[in-house]
Amino acid sequence: MASSAMELSLLNPAAMRGLSAAKPRVVSSRRIVRFRVASSAAAPPAAKPGTPKKRGKTEIQETLLTPRFYTTDFDEMERLFNAEINKQLNQEEFDALLQEFKTDYNQTHFVRNPEFKAAADKMEGPLRQIFVEFLERSCTAEFSGFLLYKELGRRLKKTNPVVAEIFSLMSRDEARHAGFLNKGLSDFNLALDLGFLTKARKYTFFKPQVHLLRDLPVGEDWVLEDENRHGDFFSALLKAQPQFLNDWKAKLWSRFFCLSVYVTMYLNDCQRTTFYEGIGLDTKEFDMHVIIETNRTTARIFPAVLDVENPEFKRKLDRMVEINKKIIAIGESDDIPLVKNLKRIPHVAALVSEIIAAYLMPPIESGSVDFAEFEPQLVY
């Protein structure tokens, strides 16, 4: 079992927004190969016999479970956080949050030591490959947040300087997370080409109210203290926009985003059980722990949440895992593309059916829940 300071410090449940990565090109251990994550990646032409391998950039195929880059209606965001238009903005709360962000309690926590490289050198086989994938998808997800928050900080400067500065400081946090994770990749002689990501990734558009609902992170250890502050900030933003929380549409959106995060994480992680077993965790138990923790926290602000502690919810997730395994097996078969697509249809339909059934389970009405009532029951 490869347990070390590096693995434990990089184990970040907030990185549930997953990225499926292909194998990086094998290179000399003395070189670092920078590789790209592309929105669509064609297979490179096969090298001619005798052609020496060149140091290059590997493109990784995108799947439905990869982390997305997001954009929004920035003009509407400016209107929402204009203090002259929105009288419900609690400027005192935002001022207090700004001071917390400026204090930057985590500034000295992201420190590397020789154990990082030593632990990476000891990893071999499937565990090494899966840990690299974990770093790749985590780094990509953090960098995605950096780009969005940076732009919001720039666009809101004139409208609401305090909120704008908080967004800018959040982009600082996300950049630090991405840089720390990318530095972890260097221990494996790899690095994500973040500059390429900025230009080449496809961006998914969401309305501002949808962004505010989906960007409510949760965490509890020092690695995630930044995410906790981000969550406090988004809670304040949502409280300043009660119209996003007080109608039936908000309840549907809240459940949708919770379910999309939980299903994505569960399916992704169950494809990578070697990683979690390698650091002494049971994949499904750990994921359910994260899901329950996240759900209890979001219940403090969301008007409705999923009943994830109902045993039937986990049974549905487990059935999704089995269906997803069949879909993956079809994709890895030697059948022609047409046959693969035909074989996938009943399984995709079954997967969609399970997701809809989980969404339609009776929800828990929430919105102002005392977190003290919801202490985690699982201990590792």
Coordinates of all heavy atoms in Angstrom, one line a residue, residues 309-349:
E309 N -29.3 9.7 2.3 CA -29.2 8.7 3.4 C -30.2 7.6 3.4 O -30.2 6.7 4.2 CB -29.1 9.5 4.7 CG -27.9 10.4 4.8 CD -27.8 11.1 6.1 OE1 -27.7 10.4 7.2 OE2 -27.9 12.4 6.2
N310 N -31.1 7.7 2.4 CA -32.1 6.6 2.2 C -31.3 5.5 1.5 O -30.7 5.7 0.5 CB -33.2 7.1 1.3 CG -34.3 6.1 1.0 OD1 -34.0 4.9 1.0 ND2 -35.5 6.5 0.7
P311 N -31.3 4.3 2.0 CA -30.5 3.2 1.4 C -30.8 3.0 0.0 O -29.9 2.5 -0.8 CB -30.9 2.0 2.3 CG -31.3 2.5 3.6 CD -32.0 3.8 3.3
E312 N -32.0 3.3 -0.5 CA -32.3 3.1 -1.9 C -31.5 4.0 -2.8 O -31.2 3.6 -3.9 CB -33.8 3.4 -2.1 CG -34.3 3.2 -3.6 CD -34.0 1.8 -4.1 OE1 -34.0 0.9 -3.4 OE2 -33.9 1.7 -5.4
F313 N -31.1 5.2 -2.3 CA -30.2 6.1 -3.1 C -28.9 5.4 -3.5 O -28.5 5.4 -4.6 CB -30.0 7.4 -2.4 CG -29.3 8.4 -3.2 CD1 -29.9 9.2 -4.2 CD2 -27.9 8.6 -3.0 CE1 -29.2 10.1 -4.9 CE2 -27.2 9.5 -3.8 CZ -27.8 10.3 -4.7
K314 N -28.3 4.8 -2.5 CA -27.0 4.1 -2.7 C -27.2 2.9 -3.7 O -26.4 2.6 -4.5 CB -26.3 3.7 -1.4 CG -25.0 3.0 -1.7 CD -24.3 2.6 -0.4 CE -22.9 2.1 -0.7 NZ -22.9 0.9 -1.5
R315 N -28.3 2.2 -3.5 CA -28.6 1.1 -4.4 C -28.7 1.5 -5.8 O -28.2 0.8 -6.7 CB -29.9 0.3 -3.9 CG -29.7 -0.5 -2.7 CD -30.8 -1.5 -2.4 NE -32.0 -0.8 -2.0 CZ -32.3 -0.6 -0.7 NH1 -31.5 -1.1 0.2 NH2 -33.5 0.0 -0.4
K316 N -29.3 2.7 -6.0 CA -29.4 3.2 -7.4 C -28.0 3.6 -7.9 O -27.7 3.3 -9.1 CB -30.3 4.4 -7.4 CG -31.8 4.1 -7.1 CD -32.7 5.3 -7.3 CE -34.1 5.0 -6.9 NZ -34.7 3.9 -7.7
L317 N -27.2 4.2 -7.1 CA -25.8 4.5 -7.5 C -25.1 3.2 -7.9 O -24.4 3.2 -8.9 CB -25.1 5.2 -6.4 CG -25.5 6.7 -6.1 CD1 -24.7 7.3 -5.0 CD2 -25.4 7.6 -7.4
D318 N -25.2 2.2 -7.1 CA -24.5 0.9 -7.4 C -25.0 0.3 -8.7 O -24.2 -0.3 -9.5 CB -24.7 -0.1 -6.2 CG -23.9 0.4 -5.0 OD1 -22.9 1.1 -5.1 OD2 -24.3 -0.1 -3.9
R319 N -26.3 0.4 -9.0 CA -26.8 -0.1 -10.2 C -26.3 0.7 -11.4 O -26.0 0.2 -12.5 CB -28.4 -0.1 -10.2 CG -29.0 -1.2 -9.3 CD -30.4 -1.4 -9.7 NE -31.3 -0.3 -9.3 CZ -31.9 -0.2 -8.1 NH1 -31.7 -1.1 -7.2 NH2 -32.6 0.9 -7.8
M320 N -26.1 2.0 -11.2 CA -25.5 2.9 -12.3 C -24.1 2.4 -12.6 O -23.7 2.4 -13.7 CB -25.6 4.3 -11.8 CG -26.9 5.0 -11.7 SD -26.8 6.7 -11.2 CE -28.4 6.9 -10.4
V321 N -23.4 2.1 -11.5 CA -22.0 1.6 -11.7 C -21.9 0.4 -12.6 O -21.1 0.3 -13.5 CB -21.3 1.4 -10.3 CG1 -20.0 0.6 -10.5 CG2 -21.1 2.7 -9.6
E322 N -22.8 -0.6 -12.3 CA -22.8 -1.8 -13.1 C -23.2 -1.5 -14.5 O -22.6 -2.1 -15.4 CB -23.8 -2.8 -12.4 CG -23.4 -3.3 -11.0 CD -22.0 -3.8 -11.0 OE1 -21.6 -4.7 -11.9 OE2 -21.2 -3.4 -10.1
I323 N -24.1 -0.7 -14.7 CA -24.5 -0.3 -16.1 C -23.4 0.4 -16.8 O -23.1 0.1 -18.0 CB -25.8 0.6 -16.1 CG1 -27.0 -0.2 -15.5 CG2 -26.1 1.1 -17.5 CD1 -28.2 0.7 -15.2
N324 N -22.7 1.3 -16.1 CA -21.6 2.0 -16.7 C -20.5 1.1 -17.1 O -19.8 1.3 -18.1 CB -21.1 3.1 -15.7 CG -20.2 4.1 -16.4 OD1 -20.5 4.6 -17.5 ND2 -19.1 4.4 -15.7
K325 N -20.3 0.0 -16.3 CA -19.2 -0.9 -16.6 C -19.5 -1.6 -18.0 O -18.6 -1.8 -18.8 CB -19.1 -2.0 -15.5 CG -18.5 -1.5 -14.3 CD -18.4 -2.7 -13.2 CE -17.8 -2.2 -11.9 NZ -17.8 -3.3 -10.9
K326 N -20.8 -1.9 -18.2 CA -21.2 -2.5 -19.5 C -21.0 -1.6 -20.6 O -20.5 -2.0 -21.7 CB -22.6 -3.0 -19.4 CG -22.9 -4.1 -18.3 CD -24.4 -4.4 -18.2 CE -24.6 -5.5 -17.2 NZ -26.0 -5.8 -17.0
I327 N -21.3 -0.3 -20.4 CA -21.1 0.7 -21.5 C -19.6 0.8 -21.8 O -19.2 0.9 -23.0 CB -21.7 2.0 -21.1 CG1 -23.2 1.9 -20.9 CG2 -21.3 3.1 -22.1 CD1 -23.9 3.2 -20.3
I328 N -18.8 0.8 -20.8 CA -17.3 0.9 -21.0 C -16.8 -0.3 -21.7 O -16.0 -0.2 -22.7 CB -16.6 1.1 -19.7 CG1 -16.9 2.5 -19.1 CG2 -15.1 1.0 -19.8 CD1 -16.4 2.6 -17.6
A329 N -17.3 -1.5 -21.3 CA -16.8 -2.7 -22.0 C -17.2 -2.7 -23.5 O -16.4 -3.2 -24.3 CB -17.5 -3.9 -21.3
I330 N -18.4 -2.2 -23.8 CA -18.8 -2.1 -25.2 C -17.8 -1.2 -26.0 O -17.4 -1.5 -27.1 CB -20.2 -1.6 -25.3 CG1 -21.2 -2.7 -24.8 CG2 -20.5 -1.3 -26.8 CD1 -22.6 -2.2 -24.7
G331 N -17.5 -0.1 -25.4 CA -16.5 0.9 -26.0 C -15.2 0.3 -26.2 O -14.4 0.7 -27.2
E332 N -14.7 -0.7 -25.4 CA -13.4 -1.3 -25.5 C -13.4 -2.5 -26.3 O -12.4 -3.1 -26.6 CB -12.9 -1.6 -24.1 CG -12.6 -0.4 -23.2 CD -12.3 -0.7 -21.8 OE1 -12.4 -1.9 -21.4 OE2 -11.8 0.2 -21.1
S333 N -14.6 -2.9 -26.8 CA -14.7 -4.1 -27.7 C -14.1 -3.8 -29.1 O -13.8 -2.7 -29.4 CB -16.1 -4.6 -27.8 OG -16.9 -3.7 -28.5
D334 N -14.0 -4.9 -29.9 CA -13.5 -4.8 -31.2 C -14.6 -4.6 -32.3 O -14.3 -4.6 -33.5 CB -12.7 -6.0 -31.6 CG -11.4 -6.2 -30.7 OD1 -10.9 -5.1 -30.3 OD2 -11.0 -7.3 -30.4
D335 N -15.8 -4.3 -31.8 CA -16.9 -4.1 -32.8 C -16.7 -2.8 -33.5 O -16.1 -1.9 -33.1 CB -18.2 -4.1 -32.0 CG -18.6 -5.4 -31.4 OD1 -18.3 -6.5 -32.0 OD2 -19.2 -5.4 -30.3
I336 N -17.3 -2.7 -34.7 CA -17.3 -1.5 -35.5 C -18.2 -0.5 -34.7 O -19.1 -0.8 -33.9 CB -17.8 -1.7 -36.9 CG1 -19.3 -2.2 -36.9 CG2 -17.0 -2.7 -37.6 CD1 -19.9 -2.3 -38.3
P337 N -17.9 0.8 -35.0 CA -18.6 1.9 -34.3 C -20.1 1.8 -34.3 O -20.8 2.0 -33.3 CB -18.2 3.2 -35.0 CG -16.8 2.8 -35.4 CD -16.8 1.4 -35.8
L338 N -20.7 1.4 -35.4 CA -22.2 1.3 -35.6 C -22.7 0.2 -34.6 O -23.7 0.4 -33.9 CB -22.6 0.9 -37.0 CG -24.1 0.7 -37.2 CD1 -24.9 2.0 -36.9 CD2 -24.3 0.3 -38.7
V339 N -22.0 -0.9 -34.6 CA -22.5 -2.0 -33.7 C -22.3 -1.6 -32.2 O -23.2 -1.8 -31.4 CB -21.7 -3.3 -33.9 CG1 -22.0 -4.4 -32.9 CG2 -21.9 -3.8 -35.4
K340 N -21.2 -0.9 -31.9 CA -21.0 -0.4 -30.5 C -22.2 0.5 -30.1 O -22.7 0.4 -29.0 CB -19.7 0.3 -30.4 CG -18.5 -0.5 -30.4 CD -17.2 0.3 -30.2 CE -16.0 -0.5 -30.3 NZ -14.7 0.3 -30.0
N341 N -22.5 1.4 -31.0 CA -23.6 2.4 -30.7 C -24.9 1.7 -30.5 O -25.7 2.0 -29.6 CB -23.7 3.4 -31.8 CG -22.6 4.4 -31.8 OD1 -21.9 4.6 -30.8 ND2 -22.3 5.0 -32.9
L342 N -25.2 0.7 -31.3 CA -26.5 -0.1 -31.1 C -26.5 -0.8 -29.8 O -27.5 -0.9 -29.2 CB -26.6 -1.0 -32.3 CG -26.9 -0.4 -33.7 CD1 -26.9 -1.4 -34.8 CD2 -28.3 0.4 -33.6
K343 N -25.3 -1.4 -29.5 CA -25.3 -2.2 -28.2 C -25.4 -1.3 -27.0 O -25.9 -1.7 -25.9 CB -24.0 -3.0 -28.1 CG -23.9 -4.2 -29.1 CD -22.6 -4.9 -28.9 CE -22.6 -6.2 -29.7 NZ -21.3 -7.0 -29.5
R344 N -24.9 0.0 -27.1 CA -25.0 0.9 -26.0 C -26.4 1.4 -25.7 O -26.7 1.7 -24.5 CB -24.1 2.1 -26.3 CG -22.6 2.0 -26.2 CD -22.0 3.3 -26.3 NE -20.5 3.2 -26.3 CZ -19.8 3.4 -27.4 NH1 -20.4 3.8 -28.5 NH2 -18.5 3.3 -27.4
I345 N -27.3 1.4 -26.7 CA -28.6 2.0 -26.5 C -29.4 1.5 -25.3 O -29.8 2.3 -24.5 CB -29.4 1.9 -27.8 CG1 -28.8 2.7 -28.9 CG2 -30.9 2.3 -27.6 CD1 -29.5 2.6 -30.3
P346 N -29.5 0.2 -25.2 CA -30.3 -0.2 -24.0 C -29.7 0.1 -22.6 O -30.3 0.4 -21.7 CB -30.4 -1.8 -24.2 CG -29.3 -2.1 -25.1 CD -29.1 -0.9 -26.0
H347 N -28.3 0.1 -22.6 CA -27.6 0.4 -21.4 C -27.7 1.8 -21.0 O -27.9 2.2 -19.9 CB -26.2 -0.1 -21.5 CG -26.0 -1.6 -21.7 ND1 -26.5 -2.5 -20.8 CD2 -25.5 -2.3 -22.8 CE1 -26.2 -3.7 -21.3 NE2 -25.7 -3.6 -22.5
V348 N -27.6 2.7 -22.1 CA -27.7 4.1 -21.8 C -29.1 4.5 -21.3 O -29.3 5.3 -20.4 CB -27.3 4.9 -23.1 CG1 -27.7 6.4 -22.9 CG2 -25.9 4.8 -23.5
A349 N -30.1 3.8 -22.0 CA -31.5 4.0 -21.5 C -31.7 3.6 -20.1 O -32.3 4.3 -19.3 CB -32.4 3.2 -22.4

